[in-house]
Amino acid sequence: IGDGAPAANYGYAKSGYSVYEEENERLTESLRTKVSAIKSLSIEIGTEVKNQNKMLSEMESDFESAGGLLGATMGRLKALSRGSQTKLLGYMMLFAFFVFFVLYWVIKLR
């Protein structure tokens, strides 16, 4: 009798332990799956961040070159507008004289 009672209690405790162990292993596997999914997601996010940073640096260099080109163009326009006002006025005067000469000649021929 003394030998049978502890065996029964031990068997009961062992089956309860087994249930908890199986549940723990199931939860551990579920946690492992979730951690693996989070790890792969974080790796994908890291890759995407690297690609986006590369694109941003390329865009930055493109904008810098476009800004330099625009600055050079604006400088040329300023130089052209400063220096060519006298030339522009001279061309307009020559054009006006030409138009008046043509009108005078047309009126004189009639």
Side-chain angles (χ1 to χ4, degrees):
I1 295 178
D3 290 335
N9 286 339
Y10 181 72
Y12 178 74
K14 186 177 180 182
S15 68
Y17 176 74
S18 176
V19 170
Y20 288 130
E21 186 177 344
E22 288 175 8
E23 185 177 351
N24 280 342
E25 286 187 21
R26 182 181 55 81
L27 291 173
T28 303
E29 186 60 35
S30 173
L31 185 61
R32 186 176 295 128
T33 303
K34 290 176 183 178
V35 167
S36 175
I38 289 173
K39 179 182 176 183
S40 65
L41 184 63
S42 64
I43 289 171
E44 289 177 13
I45 289 172
T47 304
E48 185 65 26
V49 166
K50 287 178 185 177
N51 290 338
Q52 294 293 328
N53 284 337
K54 182 180 176 185
M55 286 175 46
L56 282 174
S57 65
E58 289 173 359
M59 284 179 59
E60 181 181 5
S61 65
D62 289 345
F63 279 123
E64 285 177 2
S65 65
L69 182 63
L70 185 60
T73 303
M74 290 301 292
R76 287 188 206 128
L77 281 175
K78 285 179 183 177
L80 192 78
S81 67
R82 281 189 221 130
S84 68
Q85 287 180 356
T86 307
K87 289 181 184 178
L88 183 62
L89 186 60
Y91 289 139
M92 287 179 64
M93 294 292 281
L94 285 174
F95 179 73
F97 285 133
F98 177 74
V99 169
F100 286 130
F101 178 73
V102 169
L103 286 174
Y104 175 75
W105 186 64
V106 168
I107 292 173
K108 186 110 177 158
L109 285 179
R110 280 189 168 184

